[in-house]
Amino acid sequence: MRKNLIWIMAVFFMVAACGKRTTSDKSGSKAEANYQKGYDCDRNMQHRMAEYYWKSSMAETANSKDAGDLEIYAKSASRLTNVLCVRGEYEAALDVAIPAAERLEQLKCDTTSDYTNLLIYIGCCQSRFGMSADEANQSYDRAYKMHIENIEKRRTNESFKNAIAGVINIAYNCNETHNFKEALQWTKRYGELISQYEQRGNNDDDYTDKQWARYDIYRAIALEGLNQKEEAAEAYEHFKKTRFSQTPNGRILAVDYLSVANRWGEAADCYESLDTLLTEHDAGYSLETLQKMVLKKYNANKLAGRTESASAVSLYISEHLDSAISKSRRLESEEQATIIKIEAKKAAEESREAETRQWIGYGVLAAIFALFGIFTYLRRRARLRIEKDYASLKTAYEQLEDNTRTEERALTEQQIAESMQSLVADYGLPRDKAFDIHVTMETAKTIGGDFYDAVLRDGKLLFCIGDGSGKGLGASLNKTLAKSLFRTAIINEEQPDRIVSSINQALFGVGDESVSATLFVGLLDLSTGELRYCNANHPTPLLVGEELTQLPVDENLSVGVNSVWNYEAQEVTLAPGTLFFAYSDGLPMAENVNHELFEERRVMGEALQSLYGLESAPQPFIERMRATLQRFMGEAELTDDMTMLAIRYGKAPKNEQSAKPIK
């Protein structure tokens, strides 16, 4: 009986060992399959799926010391780090790359191109993440040294191309982080590698031409950044002699230098190739394309003074943005849903495998049931846990369909709104001894549509203040359009009513009732004090002189609501020392912790203090108004953008010139 028991136990442990070897073999093949799936997904622009598969591949080889497994581990880590870098998630990229590089070093697997790429990505992330330049340079130098050693050892086209690709990433990142001196050094090494590759004779002419083109652009950017403008322009002329510079890809590459050199007209010309480029790559106007390419095309045309082209691009963005967001949201949701299904399937397979192993165990251990009773109990508990996890995953999948749309759209709209806000040029405020002007604009958590502008021309101050309708993306687009249209309208016109009518017709032409804005436009003659103005449903401005009054305004519609609305100008004459004060509705609509509104009566009450000896210069006036609002709000936060604009015509009143500053 004892011999039989020993024999049964021996058979059991043999079966267990075989099962372990089979599992190990499967983990290796799964890791390789997951790496390939990630690679395919990345080529198909399914970046979330690619990230999931590469993480799975790394997890399956995390404890292996097999050479083949470590090769897959290094490839997956390199690809995953690159995806995170491109997406701007530098901290997450470092969390992947640094432990992976340390593991490969410990296991003496640090001679491959994938390990070298990890070093380069670590350096790029360190420079982007605000770490010291020395840390990034150490990573770059180690990677470059390994590339050179690999070239000397193998002397193959592949070794040269790997080194060139690595140095490209370093030079590009140095230019992007404005480390132009280092960028020039790495560009020089880039050129040396291209020359060595070219001298081999057995090379790809198109590849070499493309690399020289990129070398010239990177060098031009670095020289421009170092204020060596003539040498930068000469490098750009070298670029234009390459065949690659005449291709759509080459013309888009040229924009990188032309933008830095403020050659916006040429940059706008190059962006004419954008449609051809996107057609060749079958990319279309996706959300990523709108953010990274079309917005830049809009900015180039605007800075080049091509207002019609800029307006056309901005209208195109407004027409395609919603569909691009919907497409991005749908693809993101589909990828997330696919991941949930894969996890659920994996959990189900694990559950079935656990059950199969359990029945095998029952057969082997039939004679020693009592000895392995505890083992059976633990197997059962594992199965229940897996089934519970499967149920949780299924529930998560169902909740995902309901929650993803709202959350992803909100996040995407916020990112686009912030990108568009950064494109609105800040021209600064004009200065002259005949007037004093001050403006403050505070934004709430959700980006609004407040905007202002002021231009001094021929002894007259032309200014505006407005508020685009909506919140977030819509308001940001309205703000961008309205301010751009103001700058366009004043090129050939100075009368406020005509400027407002021009903006009204242009906004109404967009074809979306939500594209509207309140707007006040004023023209102050500095020689006479005559103020001509037109108000389109904006909060009524105040005049602070010998007394406090509201500026008489007509009841007009907001711009963008009715294209045939007849806007007429009004006028008043300001006495010297009079303060004009305009504001957006974010001021009277501000709430305190008890949800009470600040209201216009408190605005007028604070403005009234300037009649009792307090200084009425624009800056202290606005600062007192802001301090009063802050005391009223307490711990509450702004729920809408708040803009205040104050202009004092002529010299200060005599009683103010001797007034002491308020402490």
Side-chain angles (χ1 to χ4, degrees), residues 150-165:
N150 190 43
I151 288 175
E152 293 174 352
K153 184 186 298 183
R154 303 187 180 183
R155 306 299 297 181
T156 62
N157 285 351
E158 182 180 3
S159 62
F160 274 98
K161 288 184 176 181
N162 286 337
I164 288 172

Side-chain angles (χ1 to χ4, degrees), residues 85-309:
C85 284
V86 171
R87 207 157 60 216
E89 297 177 12
Y90 305 116
E91 185 176 8
L94 287 174
D95 289 341
V96 173
I98 292 178
E102 290 176 348
R103 181 176 181 230
L104 293 171
E105 290 168 2
Q106 292 172 358
L107 297 175
K108 307 298 182 184
C109 295
D110 54 353
T111 59
T112 64
S113 60
D114 293 303
Y115 169 79
T116 309
N117 288 336
L118 282 175
L119 293 180
I120 293 174
Y121 295 143
I122 289 172
C124 292
C125 290
Q126 287 172 333
S127 63
R128 299 282 187 137
F129 200 59
M131 297 184 179
S132 68
D134 290 340
E135 291 180 277
N137 289 333
Q138 288 176 6
S139 297
Y140 293 154
D141 289 337
R142 285 183 60 197
Y144 179 72
K145 181 179 178 182
M146 293 183 65
H147 275 307
I148 297 302
E149 290 176 351
N150 190 43
I151 288 175
E152 293 174 352
K153 184 186 298 183
R154 303 187 180 183
R155 306 299 297 181
T156 62
N157 285 351
E158 182 180 3
S159 62
F160 274 98
K161 288 184 176 181
N162 286 337
I164 288 172
V167 176
I168 285 173
N169 285 330
I170 298 173
Y172 175 83
N173 192 71
C174 288
N175 274 331
E176 282 290 291
T177 54
H178 294 180
N179 294 316
F180 299 115
K181 186 176 180 180
E182 290 81 4
L184 200 59
Q185 174 188 348
W186 285 106
T187 304
K188 180 180 178 182
R189 291 177 175 176
Y190 181 20
E192 292 171 354
L193 288 171
I194 301 172
S195 295
Q196 293 175 29
Y197 172 80
E198 195 173 29
Q199 292 169 9
R200 290 175 53 79
N202 182 23
N203 56 63
D204 184 344
D205 289 338
D206 289 337
Y207 172 82
T208 305
D209 178 76
K210 180 178 180 180
Q211 299 312 315
W212 280 123
R214 185 174 284 153
Y215 161 84
D216 289 328
I217 287 296
Y218 287 1
R219 186 167 182 271
I221 293 171
L223 290 168
E224 185 71 24
L226 294 172
N227 206 29
Q228 299 178 29
K229 298 183 178 297
E230 292 183 2
E231 293 177 86
E234 183 180 353
Y236 180 65
E237 291 301 318
H238 279 292
F239 162 79
K240 292 198 295 185
K241 295 176 182 178
T242 65
R243 298 190 305 276
F244 182 73
S245 68
Q246 306 304 314
T247 66
N249 277 306
R251 289 173 64 80
I252 297 301
L253 175 63
V255 175
D256 291 345
Y257 161 71
L258 295 173
S259 299
V260 174
N262 294 324
R263 294 164 66 169
W264 296 109
E266 294 173 71
D269 291 338
C270 288
Y271 269 126
E272 295 299 322
S273 299
L274 182 58
D275 292 338
T276 303
L277 178 64
L278 295 176
T279 301
E280 288 180 357
H281 292 277
D282 195 26
Y285 283 104
S286 64
L287 184 59
E288 183 178 4
T289 303
L290 289 176
Q291 285 181 284
K292 294 184 177 180
M293 300 297 291
V294 185
L295 282 175
K296 291 182 179 179
K297 179 179 180 180
Y298 163 80
N299 195 42
N301 278 279
K302 184 181 69 173
L303 293 175
R306 301 179 181 181
T307 54
E308 292 185 1
S309 297

Side-chain angles (χ1 to χ4, degrees), residues 277-565:
L277 178 64
L278 295 176
T279 301
E280 288 180 357
H281 292 277
D282 195 26
Y285 283 104
S286 64
L287 184 59
E288 183 178 4
T289 303
L290 289 176
Q291 285 181 284
K292 294 184 177 180
M293 300 297 291
V294 185
L295 282 175
K296 291 182 179 179
K297 179 179 180 180
Y298 163 80
N299 195 42
N301 278 279
K302 184 181 69 173
L303 293 175
R306 301 179 181 181
T307 54
E308 292 185 1
S309 297
S311 296
V313 176
S314 65
L315 291 177
Y316 191 92
I317 293 173
S318 67
E319 292 171 359
H320 291 79
L321 187 58
D322 191 66
S323 61
I325 291 174
S326 298
K327 180 181 179 181
S328 175
R329 184 186 63 193
R330 175 175 56 79
L331 294 176
E332 186 79 3
S333 179
E334 288 176 356
E335 288 189 68
Q336 293 289 352
T338 301
I339 292 172
I340 292 295
K341 288 180 179 179
I342 293 172
E343 287 293 322
K345 183 179 179 181
K346 184 187 296 183
E349 289 176 352
E350 290 177 355
S351 178
R352 286 194 297 270
E353 290 176 1
E355 188 173 0
T356 300
R357 288 194 298 270
Q358 187 177 37
W359 282 108
I360 294 174
Y362 287 158
V364 173
L365 298 176
I368 51 173
F369 178 82
L371 181 63
F372 291 98
I374 297 176
F375 173 80
T376 304
Y377 168 73
L378 293 176
R379 286 286 97 185
R380 246 177 224 172
R381 191 171 69 174
R383 184 185 65 182
L384 293 174
R385 184 173 65 251
I386 292 172
E387 290 176 348
K388 182 179 179 181
D389 291 343
Y390 172 75
S392 298
L393 286 171
K394 183 178 180 181
T395 302
Y397 171 68
E398 293 172 350
Q399 293 175 345
L400 179 67
E401 290 183 329
D402 296 331
N403 298 336
T404 298
R405 293 182 178 87
T406 302
E407 294 175 356
E408 291 301 317
R409 182 180 180 87
L411 177 61
T412 302
E413 288 190 354
Q414 184 71 7
Q415 292 172 343
I416 292 293
E418 291 173 355
S419 296
M420 294 197 69
Q421 289 283 52
S422 66
L423 292 176
V424 180
D426 184 3
Y427 298 97
L429 295 174
R431 299 296 177 188
D432 191 89
K433 63 182 180 180
F435 68 92
D436 190 8
I437 184 171
H438 187 67
V439 180
T440 63
M441 184 167 69
E442 299 181 48
T443 58
K445 285 186 177 180
T446 302
I447 294 177
D450 281 13
F451 62 92
Y452 67 89
D453 205 351
V455 178
L456 182 61
R457 188 168 63 197
D458 300 329
K460 297 178 182 179
L461 178 64
L462 184 60
F463 62 93
C464 74
I465 182 173
D467 183 2
S469 61
K471 302 289 184 185
L473 181 61
S476 180
L477 177 60
N478 294 349
K479 166 183 178 174
T480 303
L481 289 175
K483 188 168 182 178
S484 298
L485 290 170
F486 175 77
R487 279 282 169 167
T488 302
I490 66 175
I491 293 176
N492 299 311
E493 185 57 66
E494 68 175 18
Q495 295 305 318
D497 52 332
R498 297 179 183 175
I499 293 172
V500 172
S501 296
S502 175
I503 295 173
N504 174 56
Q505 293 171 2
L507 285 180
F508 189 83
V510 174
D512 184 348
E513 294 182 358
S514 67
V515 180
S516 63
T518 66
L519 178 64
F520 181 94
V521 176
L523 177 68
L524 176 60
D525 190 327
L526 301 178
S527 63
T528 64
E530 180 184 80
L531 174 65
R532 289 182 59 82
Y533 60 91
C534 183
N535 187 63
N537 200 31
H538 198 74
T540 304
L542 302 179
L543 297 179
V544 184
E546 294 183 356
E547 60 182 11
L548 174 66
T549 60
Q550 287 187 313
L551 187 70
V553 296
D554 292 339
E555 293 184 1
N556 288 319
L557 294 178
S558 300
V559 292
V561 175
N562 185 342
S563 63
V564 297
W565 185 266

Side-chain angles (χ1 to χ4, degrees), residues 620-638:
F621 180 89
I622 288 178
E623 288 175 352
R624 289 199 304 274
M625 186 69 71
R626 185 66 184 90
T628 301
L629 175 64
Q630 187 61 55
R631 289 193 296 271
F632 171 78
M633 292 176 61
E635 299 297 325
E637 296 181 348
L638 286 173

